[in-house]
């Protein structure tokens, strides 16, 4: 599905970074930091972070999307490492990243516990998770996101999954999301920031 969606000349979600990431990017710390971008698709967020001087690994299930990410990085003159992976199964190295960025990463409910465990595993102590996703309230809207609630997390789910972290911010609300033609209009989102506690 994602290969088919990304198989077009334009960038479905635009080439500018997510607003929430841009607002909170200072939480990552002074570059260069090692940053993992989950479900980075066509690379808009990973390339943005690389432009700031971070060392970025963009991971996505779509090889087509990541080829576009690599082209975007090349056009903007920055490095970007990419990896095709199923996030419901992939294992990341322990304590490899200073930050994990998860922007509209929507995987099936059955696969999210594995992904959450991998985020906790791969973050270094003191590392930061920055996440924005659509919630189940988004599903009936025609402004982007999954068409089934199975792929949408809630703040309560994230708070439980990362209960061992220091939760810095967790809220659900409606906001205007304008990111290419893929996300356009009022969206029901969860925004979540948490820091892995030192060992």
């Amino acid at each position: 599905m994602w290969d088919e969606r990304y198989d077009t000349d334009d960038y479905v979600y635009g080439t500018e970074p997510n607003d929430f990431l841009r607002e909170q990017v200072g939480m990552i710390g002074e570059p260069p930091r090692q940053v993992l971008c989950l479900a980075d698709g066509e690379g808009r967020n990973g390339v943005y972070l690389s432009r700031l001087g971070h060392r970025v690994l963009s991971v996505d299930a779509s090889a087509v999307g990541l080829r576009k990410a690599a082209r975007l990085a090349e056009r903007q003159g920055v490095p970007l490492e990419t990896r095709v992976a199923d996030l419901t199964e992939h294992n990341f190295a322990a304590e490899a990243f200073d930050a994990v960025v998860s922007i509209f990463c929507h995987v099936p409910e059955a696969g999210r516990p594995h992904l959450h465990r991998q985020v906790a595993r791969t973050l270094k102590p003191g590392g930061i998770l920055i996440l924005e996703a659509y919630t189940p309230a988004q599903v009936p809207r025609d402004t982007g996101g999954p068409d089934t609630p199975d792929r949408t997390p809630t703040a309560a789910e994230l708070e439980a999954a990362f209960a061992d972290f220091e939760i810095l911010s967790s809220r659900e609300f409606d906001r205007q999301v304008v990111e290419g033609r893929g996300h356009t209009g009022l969206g029901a989102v969860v925004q979540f920031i948490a820091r892995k506690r030192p060992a």
Side-chain angles (χ1 to χ4, degrees):
M1 179 196 79
W2 287 106
D3 280 349
E4 185 176 338
R5 181 171 299 182
Y6 291 141
D7 191 14
T8 175
D9 289 338
D10 73 328
Y11 280 70
V12 179
Y13 300 102
T15 57
E16 292 300 310
N18 168 265
D19 290 342
F20 179 60
L21 173 60
R22 189 159 24 199
E23 290 167 5
Q24 303 298 331
V25 71
M27 300 290 295
I28 293 172
E30 289 297 316
R33 299 292 171 99
Q34 296 282 355
V35 183
L36 171 62
C37 272
L38 300 175
D40 200 33
E42 300 163 306
R44 61 198 175 94
N45 295 309
V47 169
Y48 165 68
L49 291 164
S50 185
R51 286 203 323 259
L52 295 180
H54 295 297
R55 294 188 289 266
V56 183
L57 172 61
S58 289
V59 178
D60 199 89
S62 172
V64 173
L66 289 177
R67 282 197 292 272
K68 291 172 78 173
R71 289 198 296 271
L72 182 62
E74 186 176 7
R75 282 207 305 269
Q76 299 202 13
V78 295
L80 184 72
E81 184 181 354
T82 62
R83 182 180 301 165
V84 178
D86 179 346
L87 291 172
T88 66
E89 298 178 352
H90 188 74
N91 294 314
F92 291 98
E95 298 185 4
F97 294 95
D98 300 293
V100 172
V101 171
S102 177
I103 301 297
F104 298 120
C105 172
H106 296 112
V107 302
E109 184 177 6
R112 287 202 295 272
H114 172 82
L115 177 56
H116 294 156
R117 288 192 298 270
Q118 288 302 308
V119 169
R121 166 185 163 83
T122 204
L123 274 172
K124 299 175 184 178
I128 199 86
L129 168 64
I130 298 175
L131 179 151
E132 181 171 47
Y134 287 121
T135 68
Q138 174 67 14
V139 173
R141 304 182 184 188
D142 191 26
T143 56
D147 56 7
T148 63
D150 172 69
R151 292 177 174 268
T152 54
T154 63
E157 176 190 335
L158 294 167
E159 289 163 14
F162 295 100
D164 292 340
F165 279 44
E166 179 187 3
I167 297 173
L168 304 175
S169 178
S170 176
R171 63 180 185 145
E172 293 183 21
F173 66 111
D174 286 358
R175 80 171 185 94
Q176 289 291 331
V177 181
V178 180
E179 300 176 334
R181 59 184 169 86
H183 293 158
T184 301
L186 192 65
V189 303
V190 54
Q191 294 182 342
F192 184 82
I193 304 175
R195 178 178 284 115
K196 184 175 180 178
R197 297 183 188 278

